[in-house]
Amino acid sequence: VSHELRTPLTSIRGQTTTLLDYAELIGPEERLEALRIVDEEAARLDELIGHLLDMSRLEAGTLRVEPVATDLRPILLEAVSLIAAQAPAHTLAVHLPPTLPLAQADPRRVMQVVSNLLNNAVKFSPAGTTVSVGAEARPTTVVIYVRDQGPGIPEEHVPRIFDRFYRVEENGTRVSGVGLGLAICKGLVEAMGGQVMVTTEVGEGSTFSFSLPRTQGDVSR
Ligand code: ADP
């Protein structure tokens, strides 16, 4: 964590020091490039700090989840359109049945979990591949899945993949992250009464999914 916190900070300070010390010598293009780096690294820090705060709230039992009857369709569509803008080299596909029951869930937290899984799918799979998102109704739950055509996860790592700070280094050490995303997803989903699951095959890809309870007195749409 300290490495992941320090690297972006060092980069930001490097750029701002250059901008300040050589203000008169720097052309507009160089200045823009420096600002772009500052912006990117600040976003990385923002995400990391968000993850650290969420994890400590989950562990302290102070992270609030407010389940209400939730239509998952607009949440999935919004999450996909946000990631599509950030991942122009991937094809995004959405598979939704004509009718999907309401889930008893916190819409903001569902958005957070889906966005996290989508981020990972895009982060770990090569450009030009497809990332699919879908949902299916089960007798007492609704299951949401995110499937990629990435490297997959070797069998021996699968049991620990949702643990805090666990990362599979073979997937490329240069992919940034500290290994909290999936642990947070698990904590949030379980707090809403659901379960996280993964099926994965090396060289084929991974499917991360999670269930959410259907609302009582179901209103089907
Ligand atoms: P981070 O992305 O910060 O490393 P996560 O908790 O989100 O942390 O993921 C933990 C590890 O699980 C990742 O480092 C990676 O090795 C593996 N992983 C997660 N999602 C995928 C995926 N879609 N494909 C392959 N490996 C994945």
Side-chain angles (χ1 to χ4, degrees):
V1 171
S2 71
H3 172 77
E4 286 288 328
L5 278 170
R6 277 187 190 283
T7 308
L9 208 53
T10 306
S11 174
I12 289 171
R13 292 212 66 189
Q15 299 300 328
T16 52
T17 306
T18 308
L19 285 171
L20 289 168
D21 290 356
Y22 301 100
E24 276 104 64
L25 300 170
I26 296 173
E29 266 179 36
E30 248 182 298
R31 184 174 307 136
L32 214 61
E33 176 61 12
L35 288 171
R36 197 188 54 73
I37 294 171
V38 169
D39 192 48
E40 253 174 33
E41 297 297 324
R44 232 171 104 182
L45 269 181
D46 191 35
E47 186 187 311
L48 176 56
I49 291 166
H51 277 180
L52 289 171
L53 290 175
D54 277 347
M55 197 68 234
S56 52
R57 287 189 194 114
L58 272 169
E59 289 191 334
T62 56
L63 189 132
R64 289 231 321 260
V65 167
E66 290 167 9
V68 292
T70 300
D71 184 0
L72 298 168
R73 187 183 301 268
I75 300 175
L76 298 185
L77 293 175
E78 193 191 340
V80 167
S81 83
L82 287 175
I83 198 82
Q86 293 165 30
H90 286 81
T91 302
L92 274 301
V94 183
H95 303 285
L96 289 171
T99 65
L100 193 64
L102 299 178
Q104 189 66 17
D106 182 330
R108 204 164 67 91
R109 297 305 183 181
V110 174
M111 180 71 185
Q112 187 178 349
V113 172
V114 176
S115 300
N116 221 313
L117 296 179
L118 278 170
N119 250 317
N120 277 351
V122 163
K123 191 164 85 167
F124 291 105
S125 62
T129 57
T130 299
V131 171
S132 320
V133 183
E136 285 165 12
R138 301 276 162 82
T140 57
T141 60
V142 184
V143 172
I144 296 171
Y145 65 85
V146 174
R147 178 170 302 149
D148 66 54
Q149 299 172 328
I153 301 163
E155 210 176 324
E156 65 270 26
H157 296 288
V158 173
R160 300 197 57 195
I161 205 76
F162 291 98
D163 289 357
R164 300 175 313 154
F165 301 115
Y166 195 80
R167 306 193 74 210
V168 183
E169 299 298 348
E170 287 110 280
N171 283 353
T173 34
R174 268 335 309 143
V175 181
S176 73
V178 289
L180 283 179
L182 290 178
I184 292 168
C185 287
K186 182 173 192 276
L188 292 175
V189 166
E190 288 178 355
M192 291 187 280
Q195 275 185 314
V196 287
M197 294 147 277
V198 60
T199 55
T200 176
E201 199 167 328
V202 171
E204 297 291 328
S206 308
T207 304
F208 283 87
S209 52
F210 62 97
S211 61
L212 292 168
R214 286 168 63 155
T215 47
Q216 300 290 320
D218 209 15
V219 189
S220 251
R221 349 176 122 213

